[in-house]
Amino acid sequence: MPLTAESAAQQIQDRLKDIQQHIHKVDNERRRAESSIASLVRAQQNQTANSKLKTLLQSKILEATQEEATIRAALAKIHEIRNIRNERRIQARNAGNKEAIRRGALMKMVQLSAQTLPLFVGKPGERAPALCGAIPAESSYVAKVGDNVAALAKGSDEEENWILAEVVQFLHRQNKYDVIDIDEEQKDRHVLSKRKVIPLPLMRANPETDGHALFPKDTVVMALYPQTTCFYKAIVHRLPQMATEEYEVLFEDSSYLNGYAEPLPVAQRYVIAYKPTKKGAGSGSGNLSSA
Amino acid sequence: MSGGPAITLKSQPIDGSNSNSGNAAAQQQQQQQQSGNGSAAAAASASSSSSQQSSAAGSSVPPAQEGTRQNSLQRIQQRKQKVFNLPEAQKFAKLSMYSACQAEGCRCTGWKTPQENRHRDVESSYCPELSEECRNASCRHPLRSHIAHMAQISRTSMDELLGAIIDMENLFMSMQRVEDDDTKKVYLYLFRLLRQCVLTRTQAVIRGPLGDPPFESPCITKAVLSLVFYKYHHLSSTELQTMTEVAKTFLNFLNHYNFESPSARRGDLTLTHEDASTYKINYTRWLVFCHVPAFCNSLRQFETSLVFGRTLLRTVFQYMSQQLKKKCISERDRFPEDKRSIITQMPKFLEALRSELLKDDSPIWDPNYRPPNSFVMQQRKRHQELPPTSTITSASSTSTSAASSGKRSSVGEPLQKRIKKEMPERSISTENQDDLPADVVTRAMKAVAESKTTNKSEILFPVNVSRDENVKAEEQKRAIEFHVVGNAVTKPVGKQTILWLLGLQLVFAHQLPEMPREYISQLVFDTKHKTLALIKENQPIGGICFRPFPTQGFTEIVFCAVTMAEQVKGYGTHLMNHLKDYSIQRGIKHLLTFADCDAIGYFKKQGFSKDIKLARPVYAGYIKEYDSATLMHCELHPSIVNTQFIAVIRHQSEILKELIAQRHNDVQKVRPGLTCFKEGVPSIPVESIPGLREIGWKPQMRPVRASRPLEESSDPEKLVTSFASVLQSVRQHTTAWPFLRPVPANEVPDYYDHIKFPMDLKTMGERLKKGYYQTRRLFMADMARIFSNCRFYNSPDTEYYRCANSLERYFQTKMRELGLWDK
């Protein structure tokens, strides 16, 4: 079904309305929950009979579950908006609508899509799934059309680099990906074997609840160098402490005396497990001379 | 000199009422004013006002402590009113004194009181009989015959005439009192003019070599309001309001300012001979059109600030602003609490005005400069909203003539009221001649603003904001800051500065690996170099190291870099815009840099070009030259605020699109289309296309050649000087070397076989000296010959060929600058 700009805008508008309702609902429920908790505390202090306390608790749990469901519904709507936007973007591209986007705006978009990556909020006891934070994808996993990946592609100078790319399609028969360079100035399509493509996380891990889904300090990783579309070898210097924070990593850079650049912030989405290639992932500053 | 009127007047009984006490009052007043102002300038006004007072001395108005001007006006008015209220017979008697005898053959120009009544005043009790004879020996006709032609005169025109007579008498008194010769002459001239007008019963119009007002464009009022916008538009609306009031107070002061007579300024050594003569002309204009009419309302009055421009203000500004400042201090306490800010802001305002006055390229004096419509309308609206009393209070701040403006209009002179209203409106309408009406533009602006809030495309994709918008937002939030820092040896340098310089040195060293680190350190810490630093979280993340050459009028950009992780965010653009604004504020109009191949793209985006429009001697030997780098140049326009430029242009283009869309809606109509071409008609005149005229298309709205002030018909001497300057610049250009002299035949033997009409810059210089270039065409033809010869003889891949192309472009630029080019 073709998704025109108008219908996409309309669909998004509808969902925004839904979200607004959800937010109001969440607000009401939160207020109710607060008073419930207050009454619960009172009941405990008054040493109410256990059976009565139990029923009270059960009703409160029910309420809390409802609140959680509403919040999740709202998040689902946000996710839908992301998908509609993505869908529309892919269609526009396939229709040959190559809107020239300035580099600065492109970088902003790269940043924004990392900041708005959905946050994984698990049920109690639930472990972070694959492609959440540092958890890698299963070996059989195939990235979906439109998903972002790190791709080891040859540039015009025949040199291989891990670039930020988007999946155009997966060629099942050849077990290869067809990807497009995210940097529109390059406009390069690459057909790459599956092992040269690493899917990027689809969700952020919350450091406060899912710390295990983050790379530990001093891990050697590949990270997107800020304001570029290339991944380079780096060392985790500092982990995010909050869901909204980013990693701080040390990129390899021979122009610094100790071989590493000063710590730079990189979003969870753009920090992936290091995968050695024949000549190593990028060579840091060598390609990063002045602009 | 006929002498008639003056003698006649001397014998007028008006002198009789000018008693000793009146004189004493006048003198006393004069002294007061002189001591109060402590200036020679006041003398002129004092003399004129005192004379008016003396002429009205018959009334019992006590001498005021201050507000002489106001008092004079009041007295004149009272006297006029008194005359207007006289019985008709007395009015006629008064008129007869300035009316020509109607008896045939009689040349008497005014009835003279008989000897026995010489000391009686028709303005008080004396009422001569219609039959009384004129004292003039050659006349001897009765009073009746002096007014015979006025039998049918209406009451209003009679009063008008009487008003003019009183003005004339006052002028005469002033003339006798004033000491300055120039001023005296002017009074005499005006006196005669009025005398003639009364005699012929016509409206007084001043004609002659002085020219007609307005004398300069833009006028002071317009420029001052432009200044308010130019300097203070970024302030909050209350602050802006204050500055507007400050400006109005200044204008009010100017309009009531008593200019020094040219002789009083003779001692002023800062005035050149030329300035002095210009001042004399302007002083005379001021007397005739502004000052005297304020007291003599039968003359048309113009506001000083509306008819004069920069030239006058320049000559008087220094002294005037001193007086205004003094006044501000002395009158501070008498000012209402809520208006005090006007006084505190005045010095700042005066300083800003002064610097704009001195700058040759200040935009506020540019006739084309116009604050945006919204601003103008707001100001106008505010002005209308202001209750009259508040205008007066602001006026009282500076001029003792507190209520004068109110007074004058309340007295009710239809003529002046009309003029006052007309003036600003007329000037506005001429400005907008071929512009869209303001309300159309406002509507479009509103529509643009609205569409921004309802725009849906944003829902799909984030807006593609302009390159520097995010940066400007960060700057606003103070997330980033821009500072110009530099090392010094003569004064202590702060620790912060040194830390930033160190940081900058690191940024440059990392981003410019080709540059030796020592070299970078040397320049960043050199005291003649400065660095514009971009600071984020107290760390320099980018900067431009530059060296200004104020004597040469350019700034050299030495290093320019933004740290890797912060690139492509628009910082580079914003840095450069800040440097541009910084340079413009310091009067520097050119930026030069040697760009390496990676940087050329960046500099091109920032408006730099490889086409160097500066003559080589200006920068050679000053700028550091680098191998394998390209010299690039950017010329700065003093009235562009570069940090606002992108936003302004964007906004303008949005408004323009909206205007086009609106126009499109208005005229939407599908026409059948033209068939004439199918029928074989090769071409038709544009205006015959149906519908074109209806949408407002006009064939050649402006005269095409308006931009060519130096056409053939113009002053040949001027033309020659222009050619000489162009030729000089062309000779000095870096690519001029192949064309400086005729091609030597011994070195290029076959040259003259191919080239039949050789030409070179030396020959052109000789021709110019001989006066050969009588027209622009001749000059251009010879120059074109040089280039075409070169391109004919040499192949395109030669250095010569490139030189010809480059020099031709330069030549065209130079010609265009002087308005000597067609396109």
Side-chain angles (χ1 to χ4, degrees), chain B residues 547-565:
Chain B
R547 177 170 177 186
F549 290 97
T551 54
Q552 304 306 107
F554 79 91
T555 285
E556 172 192 8
I557 293 171
V558 184
F559 307 122
C560 172
V562 172
T563 195
M564 187 67 207

Side-chain angles (χ1 to χ4, degrees), chain A residues 1-278:
Chain A
M1 183 197 73
L3 185 67
T4 61
E6 286 74 30
S7 71
Q10 189 53 50
Q11 287 181 21
I12 290 177
Q13 203 100 68
D14 291 345
R15 276 158 189 79
L16 284 173
K17 275 183 201 139
D18 292 346
I19 291 174
Q20 201 187 16
Q21 282 174 1
H22 282 307
I23 290 171
H24 282 300
K25 236 162 114 186
V26 169
D27 210 36
N28 288 337
E29 277 167 7
R30 189 185 49 77
R31 233 172 282 147
R32 205 179 59 194
E34 269 167 15
S35 68
S36 300
I37 290 167
S39 69
L40 201 62
V41 171
R42 259 200 315 275
Q44 256 174 334
Q45 281 166 346
N46 298 345
Q47 294 178 345
T48 320
N50 263 356
S51 62
K52 214 175 170 188
L53 205 59
K54 199 176 171 187
T55 45
L56 207 59
L57 269 170
Q58 267 162 352
S59 75
K60 300 310 158 208
I61 289 170
L62 205 69
E63 276 172 28
T65 331
Q66 251 174 30
E67 190 184 348
E68 188 198 343
T70 318
I71 295 172
R72 282 192 192 278
L75 285 172
K77 290 286 170 195
I78 294 172
H79 199 70
E80 277 176 41
I81 291 176
R82 259 178 89 88
N83 287 340
I84 294 167
R85 273 189 170 188
N86 216 18
E87 179 85 357
R88 171 67 204 145
R89 197 172 46 80
I90 294 165
Q91 288 212 1
R93 195 184 59 208
N94 290 346
N97 182 5
K98 288 197 181 87
E99 200 184 347
I101 182 161
R102 246 201 332 273
R103 259 196 107 69
L106 174 74
M107 291 310 161
K108 183 102 191 159
M109 265 169 66
V110 168
Q111 276 281 324
L112 252 144
S113 62
Q115 280 163 11
T116 57
L117 196 70
L119 181 71
F120 169 71
V121 186
K123 304 249 161 144
E126 190 184 352
R127 297 277 290 183
L131 289 175
C132 170
I135 314 281
E138 319 247 326
S139 59
S140 60
Y141 176 81
V142 171
K144 287 187 208 61
V145 175
D147 279 355
N148 281 13
V149 294
L152 185 62
K154 266 184 192 153
S156 49
D157 51 357
E158 288 299 299
E159 201 175 321
E160 280 192 323
N161 270 316
W162 284 100
I163 61 162
L164 182 60
E166 189 182 309
V167 175
V168 177
Q169 57 177 326
F170 183 68
L171 310 163
H172 281 280
R173 215 173 280 169
Q174 298 159 305
N175 206 24
K176 278 182 178 174
Y177 278 104
D178 182 1
V179 299
I180 185 165
D181 195 330
I182 207 93
D183 187 344
E184 306 213 351
E185 274 175 37
Q186 313 286 338
K187 293 223 184 341
D188 280 341
R189 290 282 279 267
H190 302 275
V191 176
L192 301 166
S193 80
K194 212 179 152 199
R195 62 184 175 80
K196 287 190 175 178
V197 172
I198 306 171
L200 296 186
L202 294 174
M203 275 189 277
R204 281 177 291 152
N206 188 344
E208 288 168 297
T209 54
D210 299 296
H212 64 277
L214 293 172
F215 291 106
K217 186 170 155 56
D218 296 331
T219 316
V220 177
V221 292
M222 290 200 296
L224 194 74
Y225 199 97
Q227 299 301 107
T228 73
T229 55
C230 281
F231 290 85
Y232 296 98
K233 194 175 170 184
I235 293 173
V236 174
H237 179 69
R238 184 173 178 270
L239 273 64
Q241 305 300 308
M242 304 276 289
T244 48
E245 283 180 4
E246 306 191 329
Y247 283 100
E248 274 181 18
V249 302
L250 305 169
F251 284 97
E252 274 190 351
D253 188 336
S254 55
S255 72
Y256 286 86
L257 285 177
N258 61 0
Y260 291 96
E262 279 149 48
L264 288 172
V266 182
Q268 275 195 42
R269 188 187 201 199
Y270 301 124
V271 179
I272 49 174
Y274 175 66
K275 194 164 185 179
T277 52
K278 265 170 260 166

Side-chain angles (χ1 to χ4, degrees), chain A residues 5 8-9 12-13 85 88-89 100 102-105 107-109 225-228 255-256 264 288 290-291, chain B residues 456 458-462 464-467 470 510-513 517 564-569 596 598-599 650:
Chain A
I12 290 177
Q13 203 100 68
R85 273 189 170 188
R88 171 67 204 145
R89 197 172 46 80
R102 246 201 332 273
R103 259 196 107 69
M107 291 310 161
K108 183 102 191 159
M109 265 169 66
Y225 199 97
Q227 299 301 107
T228 73
S255 72
Y256 286 86
L264 288 172
L288 296 171
S290 72
Chain B
K456 283 186 182 166
E458 202 182 326
I459 298 174
L460 286 178
F461 303 109
N464 208 359
V465 290
S466 64
R467 197 169 277 145
N470 293 323
H510 274 296
Q511 296 308 318
L512 310 167
R517 287 203 171 197
M564 187 67 207
E566 301 284 358
Q567 283 179 14
V568 276
K569 287 185 178 174
D596 63 27
D598 290 335
R650 277 210 163 200

Side-chain angles (χ1 to χ4, degrees), chain B residues 260-410:
Chain B
E260 290 174 285
S261 67
S263 58
R265 297 203 61 174
R266 219 159 276 157
D268 187 349
L269 294 174
T270 58
L271 237 56
T272 64
H273 182 67
E274 199 182 335
D275 283 346
S277 64
T278 319
Y279 181 70
K280 196 168 166 182
I281 293 172
N282 276 331
Y283 174 77
T284 315
R285 283 170 170 169
W286 169 76
L287 273 180
V288 168
F289 290 102
C290 309
H291 182 65
V292 175
F295 298 96
C296 302
N297 58 25
S298 38
L299 292 167
R300 184 170 163 182
Q301 198 209 352
F302 296 86
E303 292 276 19
T304 312
S305 63
L306 286 174
V307 294
F308 288 102
R310 185 181 202 167
T311 323
L312 177 78
L313 194 57
R314 259 189 183 173
T315 43
V316 297
F317 188 77
Q318 197 186 1
Y319 191 62
M320 195 182 118
S321 62
Q322 276 171 11
Q323 282 186 310
L324 183 50
K325 276 182 208 159
K326 257 188 229 156
K327 198 135 213 161
C328 279
I329 294 165
S330 67
E331 296 201 4
R332 196 191 160 82
D333 297 334
R334 299 193 5 224
F335 236 62
E337 215 45 77
D338 55 323
K339 298 275 174 194
R340 290 264 165 89
S341 53
I342 293 178
I343 291 204
T344 47
Q345 292 300 321
M346 186 57 85
K348 188 173 136 198
F349 171 82
L350 288 175
E351 190 44 44
L353 183 57
R354 194 184 70 85
S355 70
E356 291 306 316
L357 207 50
L358 295 176
K359 254 193 264 171
D360 279 323
D361 47 19
S362 163
I364 68 160
W365 298 102
D366 180 345
N368 296 321
Y369 183 86
R370 199 149 55 93
N373 271 323
S374 54
F375 179 76
V376 175
M377 283 192 307
Q378 210 181 355
Q379 293 297 319
R380 218 182 298 161
K381 211 170 94 200
R382 224 177 251 159
H383 189 70
Q384 284 162 0
E385 276 169 5
L386 278 178
T389 42
S390 80
T391 352
I392 290 164
T393 21
S394 80
S396 73
S397 65
T398 54
S399 150
T400 42
S401 65
S404 70
S405 53
K407 197 105 229 155
R408 227 182 294 164
S409 51
S410 71

Side-chain angles (χ1 to χ4, degrees), chain B residues 143-247:
Chain B
L143 190 153
R144 188 184 292 112
S145 63
H146 278 266
I147 52 167
H149 56 299
M150 283 188 274
Q152 300 302 317
I153 194 166
S154 71
R155 207 189 137 83
T156 22
S157 45
M158 170 135 77
D159 284 355
E160 256 174 45
L161 276 177
L162 285 169
I165 287 171
I166 294 167
D167 287 341
M168 180 170 67
E169 288 177 358
N170 287 338
L171 260 175
F172 182 76
M173 301 312 298
S174 312
M175 187 171 75
Q176 295 208 308
R177 279 191 173 75
V178 75
E179 277 163 25
D180 179 65
D181 278 343
D182 298 318
T183 316
K184 208 180 202 96
K185 272 186 211 154
V186 173
Y187 284 0
L188 178 64
Y189 164 76
L190 288 174
F191 164 75
R192 287 210 185 129
L193 183 83
L194 276 181
R195 180 82 179 86
Q196 196 58 37
C197 288
V198 171
L199 212 53
T200 54
R201 293 167 64 193
T202 46
Q203 184 74 57
V205 180
I206 298 157
R207 289 210 183 78
L210 285 175
D212 298 319
F215 305 107
E216 267 186 277
S217 172
C219 67
I220 298 172
T221 300
K222 188 181 166 226
V224 164
L225 289 179
S226 298
L227 175 86
V228 172
F229 173 75
Y230 177 60
K231 285 273 175 192
Y232 309 115
H233 71 277
H234 59 280
L235 298 179
S236 72
S237 69
T238 30
E239 287 173 301
L240 189 61
Q241 170 74 37
T242 306
M243 287 323 281
T244 313
E245 297 218 358
V246 171

Side-chain angles (χ1 to χ4, degrees), chain B residues 690-711:
Chain B
L692 264 189
R693 272 182 194 281
E694 286 150 53
I695 59 161
W697 181 83
K698 283 179 216 139
Q700 295 302 0
M701 299 226 294
R702 293 158 215 235
V704 235
R705 300 259 154 145
S707 59
R708 281 171 47 188
L710 295 171
E711 194 38 75

